[in-house]
Amino acid sequence: MTSPAILDERSRAARAVLMRVLPWGGLIACLALVVAVPWLASFALQRLLVEVLTLFAIALAWNLLAGYGGLVAVGLHVFVGVGSYALFALSNGLGLSPWATLPAAAACSAVFAFVSAWPMFRLSGAYFAVGTWVVAEMMRILAQNTPWLGAGAGMPLEAMAGFDRWTRNASVYWAAAAVGFGALVVARAVLRSRLGLALMSVRDAEAAAEACGVPVMRAKLGLWVICATIVGSAGAIAYMGTLQVTPDASFSLNWTAAAIFIAVLGGVGTIEGPILGTVIYFVLRELFASYGSWYFIGIGSLAMATMVFAPGGAWSLLPQRRRPDLLGVRRAMPATTVAVAPAATAPPIHPPSIATHEEKPMGTQHQKYKAAAVQAAPAWLDLDRAVDKTIAYIEEAARAGARIIAFPETWIPGYPWYIWVGTPAWAIARGFVQRYFDNSLSYDSPQARRIAEAARKNNITVVLGLSERDGGSLYIAQWLIGPDGETIAKRRKLRPTHVERTVFGDGDGSHIAVHDREDVGRLGALCCWEHVQPLTKYAMYAQNEQVHVAAWPSFSMYEPFAHALGWEVNNAVSKVYAVEGSCFVLGPCAVISQEMVDELCDTEDKRPLIHAGGGHTVIYGPDGSPLANKIPETQEGILYADIDLGAIGVAKNAADPAGHYARPDVMRLLFNNKPARRVEYFSLPVDPADPSAPPA
């Protein structure tokens, strides 16, 4: 008789074989069903499926460009027109089967994308988006005025006349299925490749990516050509099924509008978003299209509501833990949450070992906790109200389970923006200088004691940006308060920037320090452009910083003519700090309110210098990955992210700038970390101990 142990072993082996076979069996069954559709479905259903598959491919391509490459193309439909016209012209002109010319039509779209990239990639942001639409319109007008392309009447596909209806419908459907599923396979391959990693780094911070050696232009060009090929193929097949192509139809903005709607509704920056969005779009269209104009008003309203209330799309409404990784493109890392807006971007990237380190016993147990970074307008020049608002955010973060909260630079009483928009005489006459001094925070004040008590009551570490009043001087400062309400450190900005020196004094080397904390790890902080001082950063890196607070005032000044003061450069600075230091970076950033703008700009010539908004709070992991989705620059809220200090060891394994990656035999930093006293009190040996006593 066979023993129970042997039977159990055989049972486990059989289950293992079954688990390996079942997915392949399911895949084969699905493919068989897809292939069998022409024998099972009506011609009308086949035409609908062709439209579904081709539009899905176009939406997926748009999502790749915008959600992963940061290339928002409003004129993506240009490749629909180029691909369809190329197929019709080649087939009619050469007398070839459309199936033979389909690869050539896709190649024509790729070539057109390659050629158009030279002028298009000189544009960025809104200019790039509008530029793509302009190119599409130019091509539409060109087709309308080219006689051998049929001018405004378009072209028929003569070669398809030789096929019977069943063959024609079936072959077009199979081609659409190949393009739809092929686009999914290509998207998966791109996102799992080095190109995908490069694209996501370019999307998040192009300047930082380029500084880290990412071939920005090559990555954008590769994605542009790949997506053009997908869209061109989809467009050629779509019009192959209609047997007629016209300029107004093939170069219609409706193609891109539908693709954008699908991507936004499903979730931009996710591979699953276009799948879900396509299903929702066609279900809505089939149910409500008969309502005419009301249908378009309805789907427009739905798109707006999605962008406002669920910017991550329908896919983001699922709890994070219940979102299946359908295509295996997700890069595992500690889970993240955002207080105001659900995350819509692709999950940040870590080496595989980070994803599995919880499952394997390790000698060191690393801290894991939630961190918070504030984005809000300060209670400007109102100390008591500023303290109230500070305590409210401390309490809110504590309720959300955060162990540390970081505030922007000079959060109390707000940044002195008047130094950038007017002369010192004007600032004094308007009362800004006196008010700023009076509303700055002194550490021995009742207001300071209230903040320390709030940290203690809520059991949370606070890193508070403030204008410190000490005697008759002010300093850009950061107050680090422990969860027991006791002071960890009171640091000052080492050197105020530019006109800040008309208000604030200097710090000293003792303020370039990292503090070992049981609750949050090795904690450090710097303000604003201290992050562009290489030697200051290196002094911090050398102290093995794990969690860094990079406090910023706001990014809404001197736009667009002072790029170095803008959010793109300075978010990139924070990101590079995370990569160089292999540490987590909390980057709180304040918002400028309209009330502040109105008070500062007493004349019209000042209004171009500063505007409402400028909030660009970020949180980055030790590999530079964004751990929380940014919220709109005018919006107030708290960004949250889960910190796993175990990720730092993996990052430092690649590059520890003050450790194994350093060359102290070649270069070293001289660092005076002693406090700089303004006065040194001393007495000579011959002086009496009591100056009033007579000499002996």
Side-chain angles (χ1 to χ4, degrees):
M1 179 179 289
T2 305
S3 70
I6 294 176
L7 288 174
D8 187 56
E9 182 65 28
R10 289 176 179 174
S11 176
R12 283 198 300 270
R15 283 197 300 271
V17 171
L18 186 62
M19 292 304 295
R20 286 196 298 269
V21 170
L22 274 177
W24 287 104
L27 179 61
I28 292 170
C30 289
L31 288 175
L33 181 61
V34 169
V35 171
V37 162
W39 287 279
L40 303 175
S42 65
F43 291 142
L45 181 56
Q46 289 180 55
R47 286 194 295 272
L48 176 62
L49 290 175
V50 168
E51 191 177 357
V52 169
L53 291 164
T54 52
L55 194 52
F56 163 72
I58 296 170
L60 185 62
W62 189 91
N63 182 60
L64 281 175
L65 285 170
Y68 292 95
L71 298 170
V72 180
V74 179
L76 192 63
H77 52 281
V78 68
F79 300 115
V80 174
V82 169
S84 56
Y85 263 99
L87 183 136
F88 277 58
L90 290 172
S91 179
N92 292 348
L94 301 177
L96 297 176
S97 164
W99 314 115
T101 55
L102 182 57
C108 287
S109 297
V111 171
F112 182 81
F114 185 83
V115 173
S116 66
W118 183 81
M120 293 306 305
F121 286 0
R122 292 173 178 267
L123 307 175
S124 61
Y127 295 104
F128 174 83
V130 174
T132 59
W133 172 78
V134 170
V135 170
E137 282 297 290
M138 291 169 59
M139 293 300 294
R140 182 183 67 83
I141 295 169
L142 180 64
Q144 281 182 331
N145 291 276
T146 304
W148 63 273
L149 292 178
M155 301 174 67
L157 188 57
E158 298 167 357
M160 289 294 278
F163 296 94
D164 63 83
R165 187 182 181 189
W166 189 94
T167 303
R168 190 166 60 239
N169 280 277
S171 57
V172 170
Y173 160 75
W174 284 325
V179 167
F181 289 105
L184 208 54
V185 171
V186 170
R188 181 181 185 274
V190 167
L191 295 180
R192 290 179 61 85
S193 69
R194 294 180 64 183
L195 173 62
L197 299 180
L199 288 168
M200 283 182 272
S201 65
V202 171
R203 172 199 63 192
D204 296 330
E206 184 172 329
E210 192 164 18
C212 294
V214 174
V216 172
M217 291 305 296
R218 196 189 315 164
K220 285 184 176 181
L221 179 60
L223 184 66
W224 183 245
V225 171
I226 289 170
C227 291
T229 305
I230 293 172
V231 175
S233 302
I237 292 167
Y239 285 101
M240 189 189 301
T242 65
L243 307 181
Q244 178 81 17
V245 63
T246 63
D248 289 338
S250 61
F251 289 102
S252 171
L253 182 62
N254 290 339
W255 286 104
T256 302
I260 294 174
F261 178 79
I262 287 171
V264 168
L265 196 60
V268 178
T270 65
I271 197 71
E272 299 86 359
I275 300 174
L276 185 57
T278 300
V279 173
I280 297 173
Y281 172 76
F282 278 97
V283 168
L284 291 176
R285 198 189 71 173
E286 293 303 305
L287 291 176
F288 302 111
S290 59
Y291 289 90
S293 299
W294 289 107
Y295 162 70
F296 293 106
I297 293 172
I299 62 172
S301 302
L302 179 60
M304 289 295 294
T306 301
M307 288 185 281
V308 172
F309 299 109
W315 186 251
S316 70
L317 298 178
L318 293 174
Q320 183 77 28
R321 63 183 180 277
R322 294 184 181 177
R323 299 178 202 168
D325 187 11
L326 298 179
L327 297 174
V329 298
R330 187 174 300 164
R331 310 277 179 165
M333 69 158 303
T336 66
T337 59
V338 181
V340 180
T345 58
I349 301 156
H350 282 290
S353 56
I354 294 180
T356 58
H357 80 276
E358 289 185 337
E359 302 165 11
K360 299 179 180 179
M362 298 182 68
T364 302
Q365 298 300 313
H366 298 286
Q367 291 269 31
K368 296 180 184 179
Y369 58 88
K370 181 180 288 187
V374 172
Q375 174 173 308
W380 200 57
L381 305 187
D382 188 333
L383 177 57
D384 290 326
R385 197 160 60 89
V387 172
D388 291 340
K389 193 166 187 176
T390 302
I391 293 172
Y393 275 120
I394 289 172
E395 292 172 345
E396 180 180 340
R399 286 194 299 270
R403 197 179 293 180
I404 181 173
I405 181 172
F407 288 88
E409 183 184 43
T410 58
W411 166 254
I412 296 177
Y415 187 82
W417 293 106
Y418 55 84
I419 60 179
W420 295 93
V421 299
T423 65
W426 168 82
I428 293 171
R430 288 292 307 278
F432 288 133
V433 174
Q434 184 67 56
R435 289 172 61 197
Y436 200 83
F437 182 86
D438 292 344
N439 286 279
S440 293
L441 183 67
S442 176
Y443 287 125
D444 59 1
S445 65
Q447 292 90 345
R449 288 192 289 273
R450 286 183 61 203
I451 294 170
E453 179 62 15
R456 186 194 66 80
K457 282 184 177 179
N458 291 280
N459 193 33
I460 189 172
T461 296
V462 177
V463 181
L464 178 67
L466 67 144
S467 169
E468 174 197 349
R469 187 174 76 243
D470 184 12
S473 296
L474 300 180
Y475 302 90
I476 296 176
Q478 287 167 293
W479 186 15
L480 283 65
I481 311 170
D484 56 0
E486 298 297 320
T487 294
I488 300 170
K490 301 170 182 175
R491 73 166 305 271
R492 294 170 178 172
K493 188 174 183 179
L494 191 61
R495 185 70 165 162
T497 304
H498 201 259
V499 291
E500 289 176 355
R501 294 196 283 275
T502 65
V503 179
F504 301 107
D506 293 345
D508 59 47
S510 67
H511 301 140
I512 309 301
V514 173
H515 311 277
D516 200 357
R517 304 293 300 171
E518 289 185 3
D519 53 335
V520 294
R522 295 187 59 78
L523 175 65
L526 295 174
C527 282
C528 198
W529 266 19
E530 286 187 297
H531 295 91
V532 299
Q533 292 278 19
L535 302 184
T536 300
K537 293 194 295 179
Y538 196 77
M540 297 290 284
Y541 301 156
Q543 299 175 64
N544 293 315
E545 189 178 23
Q546 293 177 306
V547 178
H548 176 79
V549 174
W552 300 90
S554 181
F555 302 119
S556 59
M557 185 179 65
Y558 292 6
E559 288 188 339
F561 49 84
H563 191 66
L565 301 180
W567 71 268
E568 290 175 307
V569 168
N570 294 290
N571 275 179
V573 166
S574 295
K575 187 170 194 172
V576 169
Y577 191 102
V579 174
E580 287 182 343
S582 300
C583 60
F584 290 90
V585 171
L586 312 180
C589 182
V591 174
I592 294 181
S593 66
Q594 187 59 50
E595 291 77 11
M596 293 166 62
V597 173
D598 293 339
E599 187 169 2
L600 287 163
C601 302
D602 57 341
T603 57
E604 287 304 313
D605 62 308
K606 292 186 176 69
R607 291 195 176 272
L609 303 179
I610 195 167
H611 65 81
H616 291 275
T617 295
V618 292
I619 302 178
Y620 292 119
D623 63 350
S625 303
L627 302 189
N629 219 27
K630 290 176 67 174
I631 59 179
E633 64 169 306
T634 57
Q635 189 169 333
E636 297 191 352
I638 301 179
L639 265 64
Y640 296 99
D642 288 341
I643 304 297
D644 180 356
L645 298 184
I648 293 174
V650 179
K652 284 188 178 289
N653 179 261
D656 185 358
H660 66 80
Y661 207 37
R663 283 292 303 275
D665 56 321
V666 179
M667 289 173 286
R668 301 186 203 185
L669 171 64
L670 294 176
F671 174 31
N672 177 13
N673 65 348
K674 299 298 186 290
R677 297 183 179 88
R678 270 61 172 179
V679 177
E680 291 285 353
Y681 295 94
F682 68 96
S683 60
L684 296 174
V686 297
D687 290 343
D690 182 358
S692 63

